[in-house]
Amino acid sequence: GRESFLLLLWSSLCFKGNSFTFHGTAKSLSTTTKLRSSVASAIQTGPAAIQVENLSCSHNGGETWQLKDVSYVLPQGARVALVGRNGAGKSTFLRILATSVSLDQKSEADNFKYDGQITAPRKLSIAYVEQEPAYEADLTVEDALLGLTQSASSDVNDRPTNVYVAVRQYRQAMQNAEESPEKFADAAAAMDQFNGWDVLTRAEEVATKLRVWHLQEQSLAKLSGGERKRVALAAALVQEPDVLLLDEPTNFLSLAGVQWLSDVLLQGTKKITILMVTHDRAFLDQVCDRIVELDNGNLYEYIGNYGSYLEAKDERLQREQAALKAAKNKYRVELDWMRRQPQARETKQKARIDAFYKLEAATKPKPNDDPNLSLSAETRRLGGKILSLRNVNLSFGDRLMLKDFSYDFLAGDRICLAGANGVGKTTFVKVLTGELPCDSGTIEQGDTIVMGVYDQKGITIDDPEQTVLQFVLESVQSREDGLAMAAQAPDEARKLLRRFEFPKQRWNERVSVLSGGERRRLQMLQVLTIRPNFLVMDEPSTDCDLDTLTALEQFLQEFKGVLIVVSHDRSFADKVADHLFIFEGNGEVKDFVGTLSEYASTLIEIEGEGIGVGGGSNEAPGEKKSTYKEDRAKRNQERNAIRQAKKEIDKLEKSMEKIKAKVVDIQGEIDSRGDEGWTVLAELTEQLGKYNEEVEEKELRWLELAELLEESEAEIV
């Protein structure tokens, strides 16, 4: 009762002039958890940015609830990560908030129905970046960056009504300043009136950092999905809204782009309230101060980083499990009571009968009640010859993509392709898979190679009416190994769907209506079905939920074949790859033994040097550029030396522990066998001396390496 009173009082203070009613009492453990989370938010933060009351949404008439009677308060200034399984309703929740609060998004509400109340301050500005942004075909990038939704022809002769129209008209007038000096003067005056200079500067900076400035004159219809996503993100940041709703904002961003976005969100001149869906755990930890999980239609809030969330979630699940166990025990007692004396059931207490049916409903298993996605696939045998590239060259016109590249792939190779966007990583993947021929050089592939390719573009939907089961059945029947005969194919397809955590109620859903994450999981199923021993994955963490990512990481860590992965997700790449191909541009590919995190600072520095206003470069003249390249090579050598020193230190420490254990054993044997004569003691003493000398040598080497390591790290810093 105290928690309800606190929540009611706090919400009334935060929403002066807006009605707020808390309906009923806690009906279940999940409701209690939600209530306590909201009170914690009220105590630790200021007033609310958005308040949600009794929100419900179902895509199949109530069989599965994406949101079920949800109430939540998004505090002003909070930076919240929204997590949950693919298809749980994360994107739906963001879209409902955007369509309810922002008048510009109202038309999107026609695509789905929901019940409940969403309240926000009247002058609250909100920007929403969808997972797959949609724009008008005739809109240019330049207009989209200013948040404009109509083409320039609509206001060419009108007086500007806001700062963004003023900026567009100024750009147009600037191109014809000599022919129409009066229009240019009027446009400049409007810029002064609306303070458009700040917006113009901000638009150029954001577009440059997100690498879309050079696209400004192009139509959005001609851009790739990744380019449109970066344009939408840039447009949202240019607006500097009060609330920023982001659906997978780091998709299609380079390491430098992710770092820059993190800095903007944390250090911007305006403190923006953020609610984001993201799979990037490193980005989540860096930006967010709390996590909200959407699970079976309910919201659960956790204060802290991702590690704290995992611990708190485990505690919550244990409490729920204990409560469910107690409820089941009580249910058995009540069931026995209901079964006794059926002829006298009319005389039983009505309240107790009603309570029994509520208890029966509470003890029924929930969908995905115990999510345990486990990816597994048998790996085919790899022969001695796998894949060999010799002196491979590839160019697109004057642009050099690969220059004299040679490498022999070996079983167990776990390589991450790293580098800025557009330097040739995806092109390299196409060369490996045979999709793109090289200009010169040789590529020899072994006879036992079965290549599985997880494409960045996702699955291709040829038939918009094709169901999930039909898609998987088609994938099983297309196997070349003949493992699935026609009669066995349906059973194999159902088995795969269960293994990849697709509930039965989704089997007959159209693939086209699945969430982005569900389509990615379906693509993963399609790739692993062929049992590859050479796996190529281009941005596999994109749109995946955290449970799927964890399962994928575990699978790839145990994968026995060759793994090639393209990823900007440091947390994911560090767990699955220990070797990098660094694409530095101009066809140069550097071989680096280590993880993406170990090389990340260098990659960000390289990419940062290459970003300039207007999409150009800040590179210095030839002599300075050469010096920088030599300095960078020297730093990389020093980092490799540090890594090798650390590895040797680790081996020395393990070796010394083993030897010291032997020394203790021999010393004990000398003490216990002292009465067996000089010969025995002499032999044991000689062994003891050798071990002591070995320990001393290793300790001296350890000290040398530790001193060298300290000096090298100081120079790097």
Side-chain angles (χ1 to χ4, degrees):
R2 290 174 297 178
E3 292 172 336
S4 301
F5 174 75
L6 285 173
L7 180 59
L8 176 61
L9 177 61
W10 174 80
S11 300
S12 300
L13 291 173
C14 294
F15 287 87
K16 294 179 180 179
N18 293 322
S19 61
F20 172 75
T21 306
F22 186 79
H23 300 284
T25 57
K27 296 182 180 179
S28 65
L29 180 63
S30 62
T31 308
T32 305
T33 305
K34 290 184 286 178
L35 176 61
R36 287 176 177 166
S37 299
S38 298
V39 172
S41 300
I43 293 172
Q44 295 185 27
T45 62
I50 300 176
Q51 178 167 314
V52 178
E53 297 177 62
N54 308 116
L55 181 63
S56 296
C57 180
S58 175
H59 63 81
N60 54 9
E63 184 177 347
T64 303
W65 291 95
Q66 293 179 302
L67 299 161
K68 180 64 173 174
D69 198 27
V70 164
S71 294
Y72 176 66
V73 173
L74 176 63
Q76 285 185 14
R79 301 188 300 273
V80 184
L82 179 63
V83 303
R85 308 203 77 194
N86 291 140
K90 302 185 296 294
S91 297
T92 299
F93 185 55
L94 291 187
R95 194 177 300 118
I96 289 174
L97 295 184
T99 56
S100 301
V101 176
S102 174
L103 294 176
D104 295 336
Q105 300 280 350
K106 284 290 184 183
S107 59
E108 294 294 329
D110 297 336
N111 297 330
F112 56 91
K113 295 181 179 180
Y114 60 91
D115 297 316
Q117 182 177 351
I118 300 172
T119 317
R122 290 183 180 180
K123 295 185 178 181
L124 183 83
S125 61
I126 185 169
Y128 171 42
V129 180
E130 297 179 81
Q131 193 171 13
E132 297 177 0
Y135 281 108
E136 294 293 333
D138 61 343
L139 201 65
T140 65
V141 171
E142 185 178 46
D143 291 339
L145 289 173
L146 297 174
L148 301 172
T149 57
Q150 294 181 332
S151 62
S153 59
S154 62
D155 60 18
V156 65
N157 294 316
D158 298 335
R159 294 185 62 81
T161 55
N162 59 55
V163 64
Y164 302 109
V165 174
V167 172
R168 174 162 66 183
Q169 290 186 355
Y170 172 75
R171 283 175 169 170
Q172 293 171 336
M174 189 168 57
Q175 295 175 2
N176 302 307
E178 294 184 3
E179 292 83 0
S180 304
E182 293 181 359
K183 282 189 176 182
F184 178 74
D186 290 342
M191 289 285 284
D192 292 332
Q193 178 187 349
F194 288 98
N195 195 23
W197 307 110
D198 289 342
V199 172
L200 182 62
T201 302
R202 189 162 65 246
E204 291 181 355
E205 179 190 2
V206 172
T208 299
K209 294 294 186 180
L210 294 181
R211 293 184 175 271
V212 294
W213 178 259
H214 63 291
L215 303 172
Q216 57 181 323
E217 295 181 1
Q218 290 193 29
S219 167
L220 288 164
K222 297 181 179 179
L223 302 187
S224 67
E227 288 170 333
R228 284 197 299 271
K229 182 63 176 278
R230 297 204 303 274
V231 169
L233 181 58
L237 294 174
V238 169
Q239 294 176 45
E240 289 193 325
D242 298 317
V243 176
L244 195 53
L245 304 178
L246 304 174
D247 199 344
E248 297 291 359
T250 61
N251 284 0
F252 309 107
L253 292 186
S254 64
L255 282 173
V258 172
Q259 184 61 54
W260 179 83
L261 177 60
S262 174
D263 293 341
V264 167
L265 297 179
L266 290 173
Q267 303 169 11
T269 55
K270 180 179 179 180
K271 189 170 184 180
I272 300 175
T273 303
I274 301 168
L275 178 61
M276 70 167 75
V277 176
T278 182
H279 67 273
D280 190 326
R281 287 152 293 182
F283 180 73
L284 185 156
D285 273 342
Q286 197 167 8
V287 174
C288 299
D289 54 21
R290 66 190 66 204
I291 294 175
V292 171
E293 180 183 18
L294 179 55
D295 182 23
N296 288 319
N298 296 322
L299 290 178
Y300 304 89
E301 186 170 43
Y302 306 87
I303 306 298
N305 60 16
Y306 184 68
S308 302
Y309 151 71
L310 291 178
E311 293 176 4
K313 179 183 177 179
D314 184 61
E315 292 174 2
R316 172 177 71 82
L317 293 177
Q318 289 181 20
R319 289 195 302 269
E320 288 187 355
Q321 197 65 30
L324 181 61
K325 184 177 180 181
K328 286 182 177 179
N329 290 335
K330 185 177 180 181
Y331 172 73
R332 282 193 290 268
V333 174
E334 294 298 297
L335 180 62
D336 180 64
W337 180 80
M338 288 285 289
R339 286 172 173 170
R340 279 186 279 118
Q341 300 175 343
Q343 67 278 7
R345 181 163 296 178
E346 292 79 8
T347 64
K348 294 179 180 179
Q349 299 177 17
K350 185 177 184 303
R352 187 170 180 181
I353 294 175
D354 292 341
F356 167 78
Y357 287 117
K358 289 181 180 179
L359 187 63
E360 184 179 45
T363 55
K364 286 183 178 179
K366 302 175 185 177
N368 293 328
D369 205 26
D370 183 24
N372 186 28
L373 177 61
S374 178
L375 305 182
S376 61
E378 297 179 13
T379 303
R380 301 170 190 262
R381 183 187 67 85
L382 272 172
K385 185 176 182 180
I386 300 177
L387 187 64
S388 177
L389 283 76
R390 284 285 176 272
N391 308 114
V392 172
N393 293 277
L394 178 65
S395 298
F396 295 146
D398 295 333
R399 190 178 178 190
L400 187 60
M401 306 304 293
L402 280 175
K403 179 183 177 182
D404 200 33
F405 180 84
S406 298
Y407 188 80
D408 292 319
F409 289 94
L410 303 174
D413 270 349
R414 317 172 68 79
I415 302 172
C416 176
L417 311 185
N421 289 333
V423 294
K425 302 186 296 294
T426 300
T427 300
F428 180 76
V429 166
K430 291 180 178 180
V431 170
L432 288 184
T433 58
E435 183 179 346
L436 193 66
C438 59
D439 295 336
S440 63
T442 59
I443 301 176
E444 296 181 3
Q445 181 174 310
D447 296 332
T448 60
I449 292 296
V450 176
M451 199 168 283
V453 182
Y454 183 97
D455 193 275
Q456 183 179 0
K457 296 177 182 178
I459 57 178
T460 302
I461 304 174
D462 297 323
D463 179 7
E465 299 300 318
Q466 187 179 42
T467 66
V468 173
L469 181 58
Q470 290 171 342
F471 178 88
V472 177
L473 184 60
E474 188 178 287
S475 298
V476 172
Q477 292 172 338
S478 64
R479 283 180 176 174
E480 296 180 357
D481 55 9
L483 289 179
M485 299 179 67
Q488 299 172 333
D491 290 338
E492 178 69 11
R494 295 186 187 97
K495 180 180 176 183
L496 286 168
L497 284 169
R498 282 191 290 268
R499 183 189 301 170
F500 280 78
E501 289 292 312
F502 283 96
K504 285 187 177 180
Q505 58 265 32
R506 301 292 271 173
W507 293 3
N508 292 318
E509 291 273 12
R510 287 173 291 131
V511 176
S512 58
V513 303
L514 295 181
S515 71
E518 286 176 310
R519 289 200 297 271
R520 288 292 184 178
R521 186 144 35 97
L522 198 60
Q523 180 186 2
M524 207 175 294
L525 180 155
Q526 183 185 41
V527 172
L528 297 184
T529 296
I530 65 173
R531 298 168 56 234
N533 51 21
F534 195 111
L535 195 52
V536 181
M537 310 195 82
D538 195 351
E539 297 291 357
S541 62
T542 298
D543 295 334
C544 284
D545 62 47
L546 296 174
D547 287 335
T548 303
L549 265 185
T550 300
L552 179 60
E553 287 167 354
Q554 292 172 350
F555 169 75
L556 294 178
Q557 285 168 352
E558 298 172 1
F559 183 66
K560 304 300 182 184
V562 175
L563 172 65
I564 308 294
V565 61
V566 182
S567 181
H568 293 116
D569 185 336
R570 278 177 278 181
S571 179
F572 172 79
D574 288 352
K575 292 180 180 178
V576 304
D578 54 12
H579 184 178
L580 305 181
F581 283 169
I582 310 296
F583 287 75
E584 299 184 324
N586 296 320
E588 298 288 346
V589 181
K590 179 179 179 179
D591 196 337
F592 179 85
V593 178
T595 65
L596 186 58
S597 287
E598 291 172 334
Y599 202 79
S601 59
T602 302
L603 280 173
I604 292 172
E605 181 182 353
I606 294 169
E607 188 174 345
E609 289 289 325
I611 296 177
V613 175
S617 171
N618 288 337
E619 291 176 351
E623 185 176 350
K624 187 175 181 180
K625 178 179 176 182
S626 175
T627 302
Y628 172 76
K629 188 173 182 180
E630 291 172 2
D631 290 344
R632 176 157 48 84
K634 182 180 179 182
R635 286 196 300 274
N636 291 337
Q637 288 178 354
E638 290 171 347
R639 287 190 174 94
N640 276 326
I642 289 173
R643 185 176 299 102
Q644 294 300 326
K646 286 181 178 179
K647 286 182 178 179
E648 188 175 350
I649 284 177
D650 186 53
K651 290 180 180 179
L652 285 171
E653 288 174 346
K654 292 178 180 178
S655 177
M656 284 190 290
E657 286 179 6
K658 292 180 181 179
I659 296 172
K660 287 179 179 179
K662 291 180 180 179
V663 168
V664 172
D665 291 342
I666 293 175
Q667 188 63 58
E669 194 173 353
I670 290 175
D671 294 339
S672 63
R673 299 176 65 182
D675 57 350
E676 293 186 17
W678 171 251
T679 304
V680 173
L681 289 177
E683 185 178 342
L684 292 173
T685 302
E686 185 179 357
Q687 291 180 19
L688 183 63
K690 288 182 179 179
Y691 283 134
N692 282 329
E693 287 178 6
E694 192 172 351
V695 169
E696 186 176 349
E697 288 177 3
K698 291 183 182 296
E699 285 178 342
L700 287 173
R701 178 58 180 163
W702 187 95
L703 290 172
E704 290 176 5
L705 290 171
E707 186 176 353
L708 176 64
L709 194 60
E710 185 177 356
E711 292 175 355
S712 299
E713 288 182 334
E715 290 178 6
I716 291 285
V717 173

